Amino acid sequence: MNPQKKTLEEQLQYQTRLNDITNKIHSAKDTNDILLKLHTDLLDFFDADRLTIYVVDTAKREIYSKIKTGDEPIEIRVPISKKSLAGYCAATGKLLNIKDVRDSNELQCIDPGLTFDLTWDKKTGYCTKEMLVVPIVYDRYLLGIIQLINKKTGECFNQTDQSAVLDISKVLGIAIFKNQKAAQAAKPGKFQFLISNDILTENDISEAIKRATKIGKSTEAVLMADFKISKEIIGNTLSDYYKTRFIPYDENMVIPGELLKDLKPGFFKTHVFVPVSEEGGNIAVAMENPDYLPARDVIKRIIQKKDLEYCVSTREDIFNMIDHFFVGSGKEIIVDSGSIEDILGQLKSEDDDEPEESEGVAEDDRAIVQLINKTIIDAYSRKASDIHVEPRPGRSNTVIRFRIDGVCQIYQTIPYTFKRAIVSRLKIMSDLDISERRKPQDGKIKFKKFAPLDIELRVATIPTAGNNEDVVLRVLTAGKPLALDQMGMSDQSHKSFVEMISQPYGIVLVVGPTGSGKTTTLHAAMAYINKPETKIWTAEDPVEITQEGLRQVQVIPKIGFDFASAMRAFLRADPDVIMVGEMRDEETVSMGIEASLTGHLVMSTLHTNSAPETITRLLDMGMDPFNFADALLGVLAQRLMRTLCKDCKEAYHPEKNEFDGLVRAYDGNFKRLGVSYDNSFVLFKPKGCSKCGHTGYSGRTAIHELLVGTDHIKGMIQNRSKVKDLKDQAIKDGMTTLMQEGIRKVCLGLTDFSQVRRVCMQ
């Protein structure tokens, strides 16, 4: 036979086989059908020993084996990165034709970081050598990978093989894309969840869509407003449809400053998405339609080299997030404070290689001033008690945290180059020495001087590792006293405490750690006895709560006007009641006891853990036990613990062992609570909703432990009895411990036991 004729016949036969493969692809019903019919034909056509076809898992940024031959596990998953041959092909879109995958020089010529993982070969005993890897692409979108391994003849894959597999990948890309679109078209409607669960009818959904189109709002917004569907149900509906997480708007959301740098709010509103958070390198993005490929393409362009989680949210919530991130909650107080976008844009360093120790920017720079003002205003708006500015060592970002309801939450991260300017600005506002970085300093900020918000902040700077300084600001909001019956005391404790503060003389102490509400309780007590016929002097540092009728004094320790000096002055000013902000030293305590013995009612605070411990602490400080016993009316110990959110807390029937644990922890007459374990006994647990920032907790309540100065207690003080003996006697006299009071509030459904454990040990 003529050699030329033989070649033409071979070419014709080759083309016929190729056409047969492409026809099978076109005739397949769905993607799985395509791949199942294809793998045997491809092995024969290319004379290959093994074949793997990968498809893309966009959510996890991986490719996984859909069809394969050999003894590998059921599914192989490979990251879309340059760390593997298939991953490299997926990441770059380049065809790979490798003669020997074990030849590192050949791989290095393709890419210096490219390697071949021998793990599978070692496990199976198979020897991989030649490999042809081609991406399956449609309209620039990666849909999968074809990977052919080892020619049966031992030869390399040639140019003809390359050309053929490229043709097949193009046809396969078109077919897979069309099948995916058809599958999506056949997919139940976005609101099928509402119909399937008999929440709404198809007519309701159609009507909601018509109304939404007419008024220019999203269908979800109409369903919530006109059909009274809760956001939680809408979230479940969208999550079920898109198979991803639902992220609702929350006014306390942490602003992801680093992800928003150099971008405009209009850009995010145009594409209806916004990055929400970053945890462990994973970035969550809220989208109206997580399946919309062009929007995903935009996201990949602006957020590079990151693992992305495409989450769903409503259009209105996304716009609210954008407004919150770029304007913030302080906009109603300071109109000209600037948005987060503008501030971070101004904070952009001109030189990314700027040394860590560089001052970066001046402390009076407009952007720094705006940032500090906005931070303080947002802290006030969110009812934060403290602001923590925490510069991290090296080139790590500075973190700003708020303490809200006793728990720290991240508010913002700032580039490391501006940590000096931020700390210096706070020092200037506090009248502190900005050149002193080696010693702690403390001061105050009267914020009204810097912005139209009348609050005061107590400032403490502390040198930390890496030649940094932390700054902690306590927000001191001027307010009115609470009523004593709003303090959350039990009826018995309230009655006994009222009797104490109604006495003409003696000493009453309120004790607990910093931030436990001691000053609030004392002001509630003074409000109860504040009458025109009673003269009340107070010495405070600072004056946080003001009351009409009280004569309130701000002590200034720097000039020698401390609590002891104030008390000496009060005793010459005809007082009936003296309140001292804190008994910090022996002199102040001694003067308080003497004042109480000379016909004055003295109230003060002390930092101790419990009421019985307060007595031994004062005796250890050198107080005369007989004078102290005569003067003592009582000691109120208290704590603040988080309460469950009223809007989302969940009732449940606890197991018997959980109930028994409460009984053991109560360590007393549990029956007096009036509860027993039966089928009707319920406790509550946190769930989380938009109103509580999805924490399950909102607000705080106080628990109290009131030791009354009875004759038995006074006798034990004179005999210097131990703490345990004092506690046992106080319980006999009717004292309820902090733990017992906490468990009472657990049984009332105000909180859960974990919060009680956080604030008291026994």
Side-chain angles (χ1 to χ4, degrees):
M1 184 182 288
N2 189 331
Q4 186 177 3
K5 185 177 180 182
K6 183 179 179 182
T7 303
L8 289 172
E9 287 180 356
E10 287 176 348
Q11 288 178 353
L12 181 61
Q13 187 180 16
Y14 174 87
Q15 192 61 47
T16 302
R17 293 177 66 194
L18 181 59
N19 291 340
D20 184 51
I21 290 174
T22 56
N23 288 335
K24 284 184 178 180
I25 293 174
H26 286 303
S27 64
K29 296 178 181 179
D30 56 34
T31 301
N32 287 334
D33 189 34
I34 292 172
L35 300 178
L36 284 169
K37 287 183 176 180
L38 195 64
H39 76 285
T40 303
D41 292 331
L42 284 177
L43 286 173
D44 292 341
F45 184 78
F46 290 102
D47 193 29
D49 188 46
R50 291 196 175 189
L51 163 73
T52 305
I53 297 180
Y54 295 92
V55 294
V56 176
D57 184 341
T58 310
K60 295 184 179 180
R61 196 168 168 73
E62 293 177 340
I63 53 174
Y64 63 96
S65 57
K66 195 73 175 177
I67 295 295
K68 59 168 188 55
T69 54
D71 300 322
E72 292 87 355
I74 294 174
E75 181 180 87
I76 302 172
R77 282 190 170 265
V78 178
I80 299 177
S81 69
K82 297 182 180 181
K83 294 182 179 179
S84 66
L85 300 180
Y88 179 90
C89 179
T92 62
K94 295 179 180 178
L95 176 147
L96 295 179
N97 188 353
I98 302 170
K99 296 179 180 178
D100 188 352
V101 294
R102 298 165 184 260
D103 185 351
S104 58
N105 291 329
E106 184 180 358
L107 298 182
Q108 294 292 312
C109 290
I110 299 171
D111 189 280
L114 195 59
T115 58
F116 175 68
D117 187 358
L118 292 168
T119 305
W120 300 120
D121 281 10
K122 289 179 180 178
K123 283 184 177 180
T124 61
Y126 187 77
C127 181
T128 304
K129 189 178 180 184
E130 304 90 20
M131 189 179 291
L132 179 59
V133 193
V134 180
I136 303 170
V137 179
Y138 177 79
D139 192 23
R140 297 182 298 111
Y141 293 108
L142 177 72
L143 300 176
I145 296 290
I146 300 174
Q147 181 176 269
L148 295 163
I149 301 173
N150 290 0
K151 278 269 197 181
K152 290 181 180 178
T153 59
E155 299 173 356
C156 300
F157 292 101
N158 53 39
Q159 289 294 325
T160 305
D161 293 329
Q162 286 186 197
S163 178
V165 79
L166 283 171
D167 289 340
I168 291 171
S169 71
K170 288 178 183 178
V171 176
L172 193 57
I174 295 169
I176 291 176
F177 183 79
K178 286 181 177 178
N179 277 284
Q180 286 181 350
K181 284 196 71 175
Q184 286 182 351
K187 190 177 179 180
K190 184 164 45 168
F191 302 107
Q192 185 63 40
F193 179 89
L194 299 176
I195 299 170
S196 301
N197 289 276
D198 297 325
I199 299 171
L200 292 175
T201 65
E202 290 188 15
N203 290 336
D204 292 331
I205 300 296
S206 299
E207 178 62 25
I209 293 171
K210 288 178 184 177
R211 293 185 195 179
T213 304
K214 187 175 181 180
I215 63 176
K217 289 188 175 181
S218 70
T219 306
E220 292 85 351
V222 172
L223 289 172
M224 287 187 282
D226 297 353
F227 293 82
K228 308 305 178 186
I229 306 298
S230 70
K231 184 178 284 189
E232 183 180 5
I233 293 176
I234 291 293
N236 291 337
T237 302
L238 296 177
S239 181
D240 178 72
Y241 179 76
Y242 290 110
K243 307 302 179 187
T244 187
R245 188 158 56 101
F246 175 74
I247 300 180
Y249 167 69
D250 174 18
E251 62 182 10
N252 294 323
M253 294 178 86
V254 176
I255 300 171
E258 284 295 304
L259 302 177
L260 305 175
K261 282 184 69 174
D262 306 324
L263 296 169
K264 303 287 183 183
F267 169 79
F268 291 118
K269 287 185 177 181
T270 299
H271 296 282
V272 200
F273 76 83
V274 66
V276 173
S277 63
E278 179 177 6
E279 292 182 13
N282 181 67
I283 293 177
V285 181
M287 304 177 66
E288 185 181 26
N289 182 0
D291 289 345
Y292 189 49
L293 293 179
R296 286 194 177 195
D297 204 28
V298 172
I299 294 169
K300 288 176 186 176
R301 273 204 319 270
I302 66 169
I303 307 174
Q304 300 176 359
K305 300 179 182 178
K306 297 284 186 179
D307 291 327
L308 297 170
E309 181 188 4
Y310 301 104
C311 304
V312 67
S313 189
T314 67
R315 186 193 312 162
E316 288 75 16
D317 272 11
I318 291 172
F319 283 6
N320 285 333
M321 292 177 199
I322 295 168
D323 290 339
H324 172 68
F325 292 162
F326 285 91
V327 180
S329 57
K331 60 183 178 182
E332 69 280 4
I333 301 174
I334 294 185
V335 177
D336 195 32
S337 65
S339 68
I340 280 289
E341 170 221 8
D342 293 335
I343 293 172
L344 292 177
Q346 293 175 59
L347 286 178
K348 184 180 179 182
S349 176
E350 294 181 1
D351 183 5
D352 291 337
D353 297 325
E354 188 173 0
E356 180 205 338
E357 294 303 316
S358 169
E359 293 295 331
V361 68
E363 60 274 353
D364 59 352
D365 184 274
R366 182 172 180 271
I368 293 294
V369 171
Q370 287 182 333
L371 177 66
I372 296 300
N373 288 352
K374 180 169 178 53
T375 299
I376 293 172
I377 290 166
D378 281 358
Y380 173 78
S381 301
R382 299 184 189 186
K383 299 180 180 179
S385 60
D386 300 87
I387 304 169
H388 296 257
V389 181
E390 303 170 343
R392 303 298 168 90
R395 292 175 176 265
S396 300
N397 290 335
T398 294
V399 177
I400 299 177
R401 296 195 288 171
F402 291 165
R403 186 179 292 278
I404 301 173
D405 288 342
V407 179
C408 285
Q409 302 174 9
I410 294 177
Y411 163 70
Q412 184 59 282
T413 57
I414 309 297
Y416 72 93
T417 46
F418 309 104
K419 58 187 176 185
R420 294 275 186 255
I422 292 170
V423 173
S424 295
R425 174 62 186 169
L426 289 170
K427 284 184 174 181
I428 289 171
M429 296 172 73
S430 314
D431 294 325
L432 300 178
D433 183 359
I434 65 171
S435 64
E436 179 56 73
R437 296 177 179 172
R438 298 170 298 170
K439 295 191 299 185
Q441 299 184 69
D442 59 87
K444 292 173 186 171
I445 296 175
K446 290 188 181 294
F447 194 56
K448 195 173 183 179
K449 291 164 52 179
F450 307 97
L453 181 61
D454 188 13
I455 62 172
E456 189 171 318
L457 299 103
R458 191 162 57 207
V459 182
T461 69
I462 302 173
T464 52
N467 198 25
N468 292 312
E469 282 182 286
D470 275 31
V471 184
V472 180
L473 301 92
R474 167 64 58 90
V475 182
L476 308 171
T477 55
K480 296 180 180 179
L482 292 173
L484 196 57
D485 57 7
Q486 295 178 336
M487 300 303 294
M489 294 185 190
S490 64
D491 293 340
Q492 180 60 42
S493 295
H494 180 266
K495 180 181 177 182
S496 299
F497 190 66
V498 168
E499 289 177 0
M500 286 181 199
I501 61 176
S502 300
Q503 299 301 317
Y505 57 86
I507 188 167
V508 177
L509 297 171
V510 179
V511 303
T514 301
S516 58
K518 301 185 295 297
T519 302
T520 303
T521 299
L522 283 180
H523 271 277
M526 288 186 292
Y528 185 86
I529 61 175
N530 185 9
K531 305 290 189 296
E533 62 269 19
T534 304
K535 179 63 176 279
I536 304 175
W537 283 100
T538 75
E540 302 172 68
D541 183 22
V543 176
E544 297 181 49
I545 302 171
T546 57
Q547 286 193 55
E548 184 69 30
L550 302 188
R551 308 312 301 147
Q552 295 176 262
V553 173
Q554 170 93 41
V555 299
I556 311 173
K558 290 181 180 179
I559 63 172
F561 184 41
D562 53 16
F563 287 120
S565 301
M567 285 193 68
R568 279 192 291 270
F570 292 166
L571 290 173
R572 297 190 293 271
D574 188 29
D576 292 309
V577 179
I578 296 173
M579 193 279 273
V580 183
E582 185 181 346
M583 289 188 168
R584 297 175 178 171
D585 51 58
E586 182 181 349
E587 182 182 8
T588 307
V589 178
S590 297
M591 290 196 65
I593 292 173
E594 289 178 17
S596 65
L597 292 173
T598 54
H600 306 94
L601 179 64
V602 178
M603 293 187 281
S604 186
T605 71
L606 205 67
H607 288 127
T608 54
N609 291 322
S610 67
E613 285 179 41
T614 305
I615 294 172
T616 57
R617 172 77 63 83
L618 293 174
L619 293 176
D620 290 342
M621 287 174 66
M623 298 302 103
D624 180 79
F626 292 93
N627 287 343
F628 180 39
D630 288 343
L632 182 67
L633 291 173
V635 182
L636 179 72
Q638 73 176 57
R639 299 286 190 279
L640 289 177
M641 63 180 181
R642 300 168 82 190
T643 52
L644 293 167
C645 175
K646 295 177 182 178
D647 294 295
C648 67
K649 65 180 181 181
E650 275 189 330
Y652 71 100
H653 178 61
E655 297 290 336
K656 184 64 165 61
N657 59 354
E658 185 177 349
F659 177 83
D660 293 340
L662 288 177
V663 175
R664 285 194 300 273
Y666 192 85
D667 192 23
N669 184 15
F670 190 82
K671 291 182 179 179
R672 68 179 175 180
L673 295 181
V675 298
S676 58
Y677 187 77
D678 53 33
N679 292 333
S680 63
F681 179 68
V682 295
L683 295 177
F684 291 84
K685 60 184 178 180
K687 181 182 179 183
C689 66
S690 59
K691 292 186 179 180
C692 63
H694 300 279
T695 62
Y697 300 95
S698 178
R700 289 191 289 178
T701 187
I703 53 175
H704 303 90
E705 175 180 278
L706 182 61
L707 181 149
V708 180
T710 61
D711 291 340
H712 287 108
I713 291 293
K714 290 178 184 290
M716 296 179 76
I717 293 173
Q718 292 170 353
N719 294 325
R720 294 179 177 272
S721 297
K722 295 179 180 179
V723 173
K724 185 180 184 306
D725 297 331
L726 287 166
K727 178 182 176 182
D728 292 343
Q729 183 59 50
I731 291 173
K732 288 180 183 178
D733 293 337
M735 182 184 82
T736 301
T737 66
L738 290 168
M739 178 64 76
Q740 291 171 346
E741 179 66 6
I743 291 174
R744 181 179 76 87
K745 294 197 171 183
V746 170
C747 293
L748 289 174
L750 296 176
T751 188
D752 59 1
F753 191 53
S754 66
Q755 296 305 311
V756 181
R757 283 287 191 193
R758 285 186 72 248
V759 297
C760 55
M761 294 186 295
Q762 56 186 13

